[in-house]
Amino acid sequence: MKLDIATIVGIIIGVGSLVYAFTLEGGTIGSLLGVSAALIVFGGTIGATITSYSLEDIKKVPALLVKAFKDEKENYMEIIKYFTYLAQKARSEGLLSLESEIESEEINKFDPILKECLELVVDGSDMELIKTTMENKIYMEDMQAKKEAGIFEAAGGYAPTMGIIGTVMGLVHVLSSISEPEKLGPAIAMAFIATLYGVSSANLFWLPIAQKLKNRAKIKTTERELILEGSLSLQAGENPRILERKLLTFITNDKRGTITEKGRVELNEEIGR
């Protein structure tokens, strides 16, 4: 698995900057460590998040963390190249010739929705049926992805509150020992460690991970919309070049490049056609 360097570097820079800035003022790393504060903040945050979601949703958390740290590239241009190839094949050999593509290895590189769309196209399904069916599927997949990102978003909302709760609990303990003034300073400092843990974990981990998953979901949704539009164009029998230009409108100019005839030949050779 190739790791997403941006995610790792971002967390390291964020945490490292806070710790380095603290030590610049004469603080020690050891003074930032508090087992009880960590237990209150992280235990409380995880507990509150679990309460907010079903067990089935919580079971997905490890896989979602892997997804957040895994490097995933946009697949827009490869999808457009592949549909340009499919349009060329359909134009010269007919739509039924695309049936061989459904069981090919090449199609597995893309989102599973591509296979479903091709099956509907080859079966001669009505364009409105394809559009409605796939739009509903895309919508539900997008909602599920947002729900999954919401787990980390919820944790990011609970963490600062848990930090405040930890600080209040620490201050209660401090005030109960007010008869020993020499212990007040260190005890108060330790009480505020909980707030530090809550706010920093929310803004350096939970919320950034949630945003990363949302960004990945947006990319997936765009890829699926691209696949749907390409499938509808195939069903309509559009010219390969017209199809190509239509699909290119889904991506920004700086990412388009040029799909040359040489590029198409290379793609056809790649997939063994």
Side-chain angles (χ1 to χ4, degrees):
M1 180 185 76
K2 188 177 180 182
L3 295 176
D4 181 13
I5 301 301
T7 303
I8 298 171
V9 170
I11 292 175
I12 291 173
I13 290 176
V15 175
S17 296
L18 293 182
V19 174
Y20 181 61
F22 181 74
T23 56
L24 279 180
E25 297 298 323
T28 61
I29 294 178
S31 62
L32 292 177
L33 302 177
V35 176
S36 59
L39 187 59
I40 292 170
V41 173
F42 296 108
T45 297
I46 293 170
T49 305
I50 291 174
T51 305
S52 303
Y53 288 85
S54 69
L55 188 58
E56 289 303 312
D57 291 328
I58 298 301
K59 284 179 179 178
K60 297 176 183 176
V61 169
L64 292 173
L65 283 172
V66 170
K67 184 177 182 180
F69 283 89
K70 182 181 177 182
D71 188 28
E72 291 185 4
K73 301 296 184 184
E74 296 173 354
N75 216 17
Y76 304 145
M77 293 306 297
E78 287 302 311
I79 291 172
I80 293 173
K81 287 180 181 180
Y82 189 60
F83 267 103
T84 302
Y85 161 75
L86 293 177
Q88 291 173 330
K89 184 171 183 177
R91 193 174 180 84
S92 60
E93 302 174 32
L95 274 178
L96 288 178
S97 66
L98 301 183
E99 191 168 5
S100 61
E101 299 294 328
I102 296 173
E103 301 303 326
S104 68
E105 289 294 324
E106 181 64 17
I107 203 170
N108 294 326
K109 289 194 334 185
F110 305 107
D111 193 278
I113 198 174
L114 174 54
K115 189 172 184 177
E116 295 181 48
C117 285
L118 270 188
E119 287 173 346
L120 290 171
V121 169
V122 171
D123 289 342
S125 301
D126 180 71
M127 286 183 67
E128 194 58 37
L129 173 64
I130 297 175
K131 187 172 186 292
T132 303
T133 303
M134 291 300 110
E135 280 182 345
N136 290 340
K137 186 174 181 64
I138 291 170
Y139 174 77
M140 292 307 298
E141 292 281 354
D142 186 51
M143 288 299 101
Q144 180 61 31
K146 287 178 179 176
K147 182 182 179 182
E148 292 169 350
I151 296 174
F152 294 91
E153 212 164 38
Y158 294 132
T161 304
M162 292 301 164
I164 293 171
I165 291 172
T167 296
V168 172
M169 291 173 67
L171 291 176
V172 168
H173 177 66
V174 168
L175 293 175
S176 68
S177 306
I178 202 167
S179 58
E180 301 176 79
E182 69 281 359
K183 295 182 179 180
L184 287 181
I188 291 173
M190 184 56 66
F192 280 100
I193 292 297
T195 297
L196 174 64
Y197 284 177
V199 175
S200 60
S201 65
N203 291 281
L204 292 175
F205 185 75
W206 302 118
L207 295 178
I209 292 296
Q211 188 59 49
K212 174 73 77 171
L213 292 174
K214 282 183 178 180
N215 292 341
R216 295 273 170 82
K218 287 177 184 176
I219 292 172
K220 277 294 180 185
T221 298
T222 302
E223 286 183 358
R224 288 164 181 156
E225 289 173 346
L226 187 59
I227 288 169
L228 175 56
E229 190 61 41
S231 300
L232 293 175
S233 296
L234 283 178
Q235 178 74 321
E238 290 181 1
N239 181 288
R241 292 189 183 279
I242 298 299
L243 178 147
E244 173 189 307
R245 288 171 186 164
K246 180 190 288 188
L247 297 186
L248 281 171
T249 61
F250 277 77
I251 56 180
T252 55
N253 288 331
D254 62 320
K255 293 181 181 178
R256 288 182 187 181
T258 303
I259 303 178
T260 62
E261 191 60 38
K262 180 184 176 184
R264 294 191 188 97
V265 171
E266 287 173 349
L267 178 68
N268 293 349
E269 290 175 351
E270 253 181 46
I271 58 180
R273 303 295 190 273

